[in-house]
């Protein structure tokens, strides 16, 4: 079987302990994702923390229209925002948990999951699920 | 700057109208607004308007008449209607024109809106990954808000229940049957904590306003409603908005707060002086949060407000008296002007079964949309 490819090659570092790739603005502010094109001028690449706390969340119960291009065979999924202390709050898939277990401020950690048969994407899971 | 009045208001019923294009629904609203003002299309000197998905507004001169009118297309997301009204107001207030028109219309396909990431300056993966849905933003905003300020799930249901109850009484509303709380709470979950009946749906419709200078209004011998203020604002730094893969850890301001504060300052009145309000209710959580963002209550007080019925038609501050977006649906280009239409009906005592009692004198309208834009208009009878 072929190794799944990242949904975007510039989203996270390709290593055993991957990190999301953000940017550092000239004023020190951290942004996610790393800006592209002219907007990237003067923005320094900044690797984001792998751990944070849950800021908010919801479920996606129906298959979104385009531009979503996940599997036709739709399974509801969770998304949320995870606050990386001192850095930025990132929007992400939430995995290995259920709605009733989620609460504000719970510790979360980065993981890479399969998106479809060919591609992978990033997600956060409760630290306790590791 | 001189005072500007709305002397005519028109609407095409919201919902689904087979066989009539979005622009035709806009034209229908224009003809109704002209008739309301006792004017002909030939009298209109300038016009502003637009749609999100139903084409350019200026093409309607083909049907309305080739009068050479100065017609500017406005494309400003959910604030298209508010921005059109603002542009028409600026045009008359500046003294350049005496009579102006603002029009908005739309016709969307069924289901959630779909957006193209690149058009919003976002990378393709953001859309592919299934994170570019406005409904998710509203769900995550209210999810956090509920926990920070003690808003209960049932309160979300009560807001939707009120919307359908009010919509039943509005001829231009789409959903005109009451839906009970249990049905709302148990309907299909869309994005937790929001169920199907708590959301507005993309729809069709049109709305139009005729604006006049005070001098022109007196010349014509008609009475109008004064635009006390109008403010359009985009997002300040560090705000939390629709379509943000990354949010600042520093809590920023909100476009609604900026537009609201500016509108109140210009009008020289405060939230306590408002008799009726139409607030953006993309879903029921938005109405709750927008009550605070527009300054009508403090964060968390909505629980008590709604339990006491303060936002009902007979309450201290009736909110979304025609059922709002939840009962009317959201044709993006027309939605902001529907708010103003409903306020015109209320201030002129024409709102029939949903009329706010005791002759309301001040009315407030607010829209919010992607990518973080808000428009507020305050009318005074």
């Amino acid at each position: 079987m072929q190794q799944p490819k990242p949904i975007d090659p510039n989203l996270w570092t390709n290593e055993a302990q991957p990190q999301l790739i953000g940017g550092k603005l000239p004023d020190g502010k951290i942004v996610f994702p790393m800006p592209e094109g002219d907007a990237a001028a003067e923005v320094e690449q900044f690797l984001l923390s792998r751990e944070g706390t849950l800021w908010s969340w919801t479920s996606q119960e129906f298959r979104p229209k385009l531009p979503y291009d996940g599997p036709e065979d739709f399974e509801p999924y969770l998304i949320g925002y995870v606050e990386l202390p001192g850095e930025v709050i990132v929007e992400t898939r939430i995995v290995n948990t259920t709605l009733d277990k989620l609460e504000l401020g719970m510790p979360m950690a980065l993981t890479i999951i399969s998106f479809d048969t060919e591609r992978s994407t990033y997600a956060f899971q409760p630290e306790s699920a590791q | 700057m001189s005072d500007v009045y709305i002397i005519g208001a028109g609407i095409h019923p919201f919902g689904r109208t087979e066989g009539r294009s979005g622009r035709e629904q806009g034209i229908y609203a224009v003809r109704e607004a002209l008739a309301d003002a006792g004017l002909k299309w030939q009298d209109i000197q300038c016009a502003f308007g637009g749609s999100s998905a139903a084409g350019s507004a200026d093409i309607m001169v083909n049907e309305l008449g080739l009068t050479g009118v100065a017609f500017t297309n406005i494309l400003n997301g959910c604030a298209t209607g508010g921005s059109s009204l603002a542009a028409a107001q600026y045009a008359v207030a500046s003294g350049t024109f005496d009579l102006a028109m603002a029009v908005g219309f739309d016709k969307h396909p069924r289901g959630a809106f779909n957006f193209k990431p690149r058009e919003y300056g976002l990378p393709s993966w953001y859309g592919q990954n299934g994170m570019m849905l406005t409904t998710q933003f509203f769900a995550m905003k209210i999810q956090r808000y509920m926990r920070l300020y003690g808003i209960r799930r049932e309160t979300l249901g009560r807001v939707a229940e009120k919307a359908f109850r009010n919509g039943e009484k509005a001829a231009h509303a789409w959903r005109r049957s009451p839906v009970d709380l249990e049905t709302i709470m148990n309907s299909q979950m869309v994005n937790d904590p929001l169920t199907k009946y708590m959301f507005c749906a993309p729809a069709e419709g049109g709305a139009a306003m005729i604006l006049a200078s005070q001098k022109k209004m007196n010349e014509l011998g008609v009475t109008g409603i004064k635009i006390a203020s109008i403010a359009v604002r985009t997002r300040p730094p560090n705000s939390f908005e629709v379509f943000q893969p990354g949010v600042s850890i520093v809590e920023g301001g909100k476009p609604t707060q900026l537009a609201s504060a500016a509108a109140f300052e210009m009008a020289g009145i405060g939230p306590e002086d408002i008799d009726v309000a139409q607030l953006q209710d993309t879903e029921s959580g938005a109405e709750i949060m927008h009550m605070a963002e527009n300054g009508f209550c403090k964060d968390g007080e909505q629980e008590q407000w709604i339990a006491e019925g303060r936002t009902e038609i007979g309450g201290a501050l009736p909110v979304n008296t025609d059922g709002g977006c939840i009962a009317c649906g959201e044709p993006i280009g027309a939605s902001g002007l529907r708010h103003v239409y409903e306020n015109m009906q209320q201030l002129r005592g024409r709102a029939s079964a949903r009329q706010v009692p005791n002759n309301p004198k001040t009315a407030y309208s607010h829209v919010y949309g992607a990518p973080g834009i808000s428009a507020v208009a305050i009318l005074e009878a």
Side-chain angles (χ1 to χ4, degrees), chain B residues 170-316:
Chain B
H172 62 266
W174 182 15
R175 316 285 190 197
R176 302 203 58 203
S177 313
V179 181
D180 63 68
L181 184 64
E182 200 187 330
T183 306
I184 292 165
M185 299 305 290
N186 295 327
S187 65
Q188 190 199 349
M189 187 61 78
V190 176
N191 300 107
D192 183 82
L194 301 169
T195 67
K196 188 178 90 174
Y197 280 114
M198 296 176 189
F199 272 104
C200 82
E204 305 171 14
M209 301 294 142
I210 309 296
L211 284 69
S213 62
Q214 186 163 22
K215 180 168 156 279
K216 190 70 180 179
M217 182 174 74
N218 294 340
E219 248 175 61
L220 293 168
V222 296
T223 52
I225 299 288
K226 188 171 127 181
I227 301 178
S229 64
I230 185 159
V232 181
R233 291 292 184 276
T234 52
R235 63 195 187 280
N238 302 325
S239 67
F240 173 46
E241 312 290 349
V242 179
F243 305 153
Q244 280 187 328
V247 178
S248 169
I249 52 170
V250 178
E251 192 177 335
K254 298 178 172 67
T256 291
Q257 289 170 334
L258 297 184
S260 176
F264 278 126
E265 193 189 330
M266 275 186 267
I269 60 172
E272 64 285 357
D273 301 314
I274 297 296
D275 295 332
V276 55
Q278 318 299 332
L279 307 179
Q280 177 83 30
D281 60 332
T282 315
E283 39 74 36
S284 46
E287 178 172 319
I288 290 170
M289 294 183 286
H290 288 150
M291 286 166 62
E293 288 179 26
N294 285 289
F296 294 110
C297 67
K298 292 200 177 72
D299 289 318
E301 287 181 352
Q302 298 96 328
E303 266 295 310
Q304 196 185 345
W305 273 56
I306 289 160
E308 291 175 357
R310 294 176 75 164
T311 57
E312 300 284 339
I313 284 168

Side-chain angles (χ1 to χ4, degrees), chain B residues 7-164:
Chain B
I7 60 167
I11 199 160
H12 180 282
F14 279 33
R16 295 275 173 211
T17 309
E18 298 297 333
R20 188 173 280 160
S21 73
R23 190 175 61 255
E24 285 170 332
Q25 295 179 43
I27 292 167
Y28 180 105
V30 170
R31 294 195 201 281
E32 199 179 275
L34 288 168
D36 185 30
L39 293 173
K40 298 189 299 291
W41 171 243
Q42 285 70 18
D43 298 319
I44 300 300
Q45 300 161 348
C46 73
F48 300 86
S51 81
S52 168
S56 299
D58 63 337
I59 295 169
M60 62 174 64
V61 297
N62 289 342
E63 286 92 345
L64 288 169
L66 304 177
T67 59
V69 62
F71 204 131
T72 303
N73 290 317
I74 305 272
L75 183 59
N76 224 358
C78 298
T80 296
S83 297
S84 299
L85 186 71
Q89 194 258 359
Y90 304 153
V92 176
S94 70
T96 310
F97 297 101
D98 284 320
L99 276 174
M101 179 185 82
V103 60
F105 55 90
D106 243 313
K107 191 177 181 92
H108 301 286
R110 284 161 212 279
F113 294 113
N114 56 334
F115 297 92
K116 297 190 175 80
R118 294 286 170 193
E119 291 180 5
Y120 284 83
L122 291 163
S124 299
W125 66 262
Y126 185 64
Q128 293 170 328
N129 206 29
M131 302 203 296
M132 198 171 177
L133 285 88
T134 53
T135 60
Q136 296 171 345
F137 162 77
F138 286 109
M140 289 193 280
K141 189 175 172 190
I142 189 66
Q143 187 88 267
R144 181 173 170 80
Y145 193 89
M146 287 166 78
R147 279 155 184 84
L148 292 178
Y149 299 109
I151 305 294
R152 294 172 311 128
R153 282 176 183 257
E154 187 184 307
T155 305
L156 299 176
R158 292 211 178 278
V159 169
E161 195 185 20
K162 168 175 71 70
F164 295 117

Side-chain angles (χ1 to χ4, degrees), chain B residues 347-380:
Chain B
L347 294 180
R348 292 155 121 191
R350 295 180 184 176
S352 60
R354 65 184 192 285
Q355 179 65 48
V356 169
N358 306 320
N359 306 313
K361 293 277 179 275
T362 53
Y364 185 97
S365 61
H366 156 260
V367 291
Y368 168 83
I373 182 164
S374 181
V376 168
I378 297 175
L379 304 185
E380 270 177 17

Side-chain angles (χ1 to χ4, degrees), chain A:
Chain A
M1 207 178 101
Q2 217 179 344
Q3 185 76 5
K5 283 199 310 215
I7 194 164
D8 186 296
N10 302 315
L11 254 180
W12 63 84
T13 58
N14 181 20
E15 50 197 345
Q17 296 284 303
Q19 287 177 274
L20 291 175
I21 301 170
K24 187 175 187 177
L25 306 187
D27 65 2
K29 185 180 172 178
I30 308 299
V31 295
F32 173 77
M34 174 68 187
E36 296 173 341
D38 290 350
E42 296 178 38
V43 182
E44 203 182 306
Q45 181 175 295
F46 184 91
L47 300 185
L48 298 173
S49 169
R50 290 174 43 83
E51 275 98 40
T53 54
L54 190 60
W55 192 82
S56 193
W57 66 90
T58 187
S59 56
Q60 181 59 39
E61 306 276 355
F62 61 91
R63 192 177 191 281
K65 296 197 279 194
L66 283 172
Y68 174 70
D69 66 356
E72 282 299 330
D73 192 10
F74 180 74
E75 287 285 333
Y77 54 86
L78 301 176
I79 68 161
Y81 280 98
V82 171
E83 179 165 4
L84 307 177
E87 298 176 355
V88 63
I89 301 166
V90 298
E91 192 172 0
T92 177
R93 293 285 190 106
I94 304 282
V95 295
N96 296 331
T97 185
T98 50
L99 271 177
D100 57 309
K101 297 200 179 75
L102 299 178
E103 48 188 284
L104 284 191
M106 68 189 278
M108 306 290 287
L110 181 70
T111 183
I112 302 300
I113 59 167
S114 69
F115 176 69
D116 55 18
T117 51
E118 287 158 18
R119 292 172 295 178
S120 56
T121 190
Y122 70 97
F124 278 75
Q125 62 183 352
E127 257 177 18
S128 56
Q130 281 185 298

